[in-house]
Amino acid sequence: MKGYPMTPAGYKALKEEFENLKSVERPAVIQAIAEARAHGDLSENAEYDAAKERQGFVESRIRELEAKLARRQVIDPGTLKGDRVMFGATVTILDCDTEQEQTWSIVGEDEANLKERKLSITSPLARALIGKSTGDDLQVRTPKGVRECEVLDVRYVAQADERHDGKGKGSVALPRPDAQNRVKQA
């Protein structure tokens, strides 16, 4: 079975989703099914149908996350070094057609977020970048055609620790303690 690469933040997010589905969502769906059954005739009970559909989604997602977590390969970009692009790299490229610079981080499939400039390791651009070094040229097939780019910089950046803000609204990035020490010493 093939490994499933992810950053520590990606692992944490998947683990939290998995735990929430098992400990919160699954019991809530079971309760909703029980309440819908109590209403009588199941053949025309929309609440029952909706709860069963939700149960199917929750159970499917739990199985999917179990498989991903079982095959996980947690890779902290901050521990990597080198001048070649691989998983976890933060890469600055120059689009040769538009002369625009773009910086992307290569992350796991579930972590991809274009607004945050995070590319899935399986995306066409990330696959074209893998193995390249600073100064290398590459061609990427996109829906708009073939793009020619040049790799300007490859670096591996330690991720900030992510902690929930306690209000259920996502996470707040906090600097790592060792990163603060390096700043003070400089």
Side-chain angles (χ1 to χ4, degrees):
M1 203 179 256
K2 189 173 111 175
Y4 191 82
M6 61 183 72
T7 64
Y11 170 71
K12 181 180 177 186
L14 285 184
K15 186 75 172 158
E16 287 175 357
E17 180 184 356
F18 177 73
E19 294 300 328
N20 181 61
L21 286 170
K22 285 182 69 176
S23 63
V24 177
E25 293 294 324
R26 181 186 270 169
V29 167
I30 291 170
Q31 180 64 33
I33 290 171
E35 288 175 12
R37 276 191 181 140
H39 292 155
D41 185 13
L42 298 181
S43 64
E44 294 183 19
N45 188 330
E47 289 177 23
Y48 179 77
D49 291 341
K52 288 299 278 184
E53 185 176 324
R54 176 75 181 149
Q55 182 184 36
F57 169 78
V58 167
E59 294 302 324
S60 174
R61 185 65 178 157
I62 287 172
R63 284 190 304 276
E64 178 184 359
L65 291 176
E66 277 178 330
K68 287 179 179 182
L69 292 170
R71 297 182 330 216
R72 75 185 178 276
Q73 291 179 318
V74 179
I75 302 167
D76 185 350
T79 64
L80 303 174
K81 292 182 174 61
D83 61 348
R84 291 208 173 278
V85 178
M86 59 183 158
F87 180 87
T90 298
V91 184
T92 302
I93 60 172
L94 175 68
D95 186 320
C96 294
D97 298 332
T98 65
E99 295 294 317
Q100 289 184 333
E101 287 186 17
Q102 300 175 355
T103 301
W104 298 94
S105 294
I106 300 176
V107 297
E109 289 179 19
D110 291 302
E111 301 172 78
N113 184 328
L114 297 180
K115 289 181 181 177
E116 294 177 11
R117 311 299 285 178
K118 294 180 179 181
L119 283 177
S120 166
I121 186 74
T122 59
S123 71
L125 179 55
R127 290 187 347 212
L129 285 167
I130 298 295
K132 302 292 186 203
S133 297
T134 301
D136 286 351
D137 294 325
L138 61 131
Q139 292 185 336
V140 183
R141 290 195 188 284
T142 68
K144 294 181 180 179
V146 176
R147 278 178 46 195
E148 299 215 10
C149 302
E150 178 185 350
V151 178
L152 299 178
D153 185 42
V154 178
R155 62 189 182 283
Y156 294 91
V157 181
Q159 291 186 332
D161 290 334
E162 291 187 7
R163 298 193 181 106
H164 284 283
D165 61 8
K167 299 175 187 170
K169 296 182 181 179
S171 58
V172 178
L174 301 172
R176 292 169 54 157
D178 57 325
Q180 290 174 341
N181 291 338
R182 275 187 251 139
V183 170
K184 289 177 185 175
Q185 294 171 356

